[in-house]
Amino acid sequence: MLTSALFITGLCLGSFITCMAERISSGHVLINRQRSQCPHCRHQLRFWQLLPLLGILLQRGRCHDCRATISIRSSLIELLCGVLLATSSTSFLLTLPLLLGYLVLIFNSLTDYLTFEVYPLTLLLPAGLGLWQQRPPLTISLYLVLVLLVGLYLLARLTATFGLGDVDVLLMLVFIIPADTLLTCLAIAAVAALVGFIIGNPRHRLPFVPFISWSFIMVTQLTGLA
C-alpha cells in the first residue's frame, strides 16, 4: 500500500517537475489558473489528458484534438520519479535529502537541456537537509572533490566550456552523498559526456547536468544509498 502511494506521488511530482521546467524554459508564467495546452494545436488539455502516465495511454500517444504525436519525455520522467520514490528506503527521513536531490536534478537536467540554464535556488533545500543530517567527513576524497570544484569554477569563469550551474550542482551533491561516491558519479558523467560529444555535433555546446544526474541516480541506486 505504501509502495503504491509512493509510486503515485512520484508520478505526480514527475509531471509537475516537467511542467515547471518546460514553462520556465519557454518563458511562460509558472503558476496560472489555466491548464496546460497542446504545443501543436493549442487546445487546453482536459483533466484526464493531464493524468500522469494514464493521459498519454488514454490518447494512444496522440493529441485527442489534433492527433499530433505526444512527446514521451514527460511520461518517462513521471515513470522515473515514481520508481525512485517507490523503491526508496523505508527510512524516509534519512533518504529525504537524496530523494529531493533526485527531483531537483531531474528539473535542472531538463532546463539545462532546453535552455542551458540551471537554477541554484532549487539546490538549496536538499543541500541544507543533507548538511543538517550529517556534515561531510574530512577525507582525502573530500579534499580532492574540493580541489576539483575550485578548478571547475575557474574553468567556468574563464571559458565557455563549463557552466557555473554545473559547479552549483556538484556542490549540492557534496552535502548529500559521500565524496568517494561523488567522484565515481563525476567520472561516469565525464566519460558519458565525452562519448556524447564525440558522436554528436562537436560544434554545439553540450549540457552537462543531465550526465551528472543520470550517473548520480545510477550510482546511488546500485550502491544502495537510496
Side-chain angles (χ1 to χ4, degrees), residues 36-46 48-49 59 62-70:
S36 299
Q37 298 176 334
C38 170
H40 303 284
C41 64
R42 300 300 177 184
H43 272 90
Q44 191 174 90
L45 301 180
R46 301 161 183 83
W48 59 269
Q49 293 174 284
Q59 297 175 91
R62 293 186 178 274
C63 174
H64 179 74
D65 296 291
C66 67
R67 309 308 299 166
T69 301
I70 301 174

Side-chain angles (χ1 to χ4, degrees), residues 115-213:
T115 59
F116 294 105
E117 291 287 343
V118 173
Y119 295 86
L121 287 179
T122 63
L123 309 173
L124 294 179
L125 182 57
L129 285 175
L131 182 60
W132 175 70
Q133 282 191 354
Q134 183 179 4
R135 293 184 179 179
L138 299 178
T139 62
I140 295 178
S141 296
L142 179 61
Y143 290 127
L144 181 57
V145 167
L146 294 178
V147 170
L148 283 173
L149 286 176
V150 172
L152 292 174
Y153 174 79
L154 294 175
L155 182 65
R157 295 291 295 180
L158 299 175
T159 70
T161 58
F162 202 80
L164 286 173
D166 303 326
V167 179
D168 293 332
V169 167
L170 292 173
L171 185 60
M172 178 199 73
L173 295 182
V174 169
F175 297 110
I176 62 177
I177 57 174
D180 53 348
T181 304
L182 177 53
L183 288 173
T184 302
C185 295
L186 186 56
I188 294 173
V191 172
L194 179 61
V195 172
F197 180 79
I198 293 174
I199 65 177
N201 190 340
R203 296 182 179 179
H204 291 171
R205 183 180 171 187
L206 194 67
F208 190 56
V209 174
F211 294 101
I212 299 175
S213 301

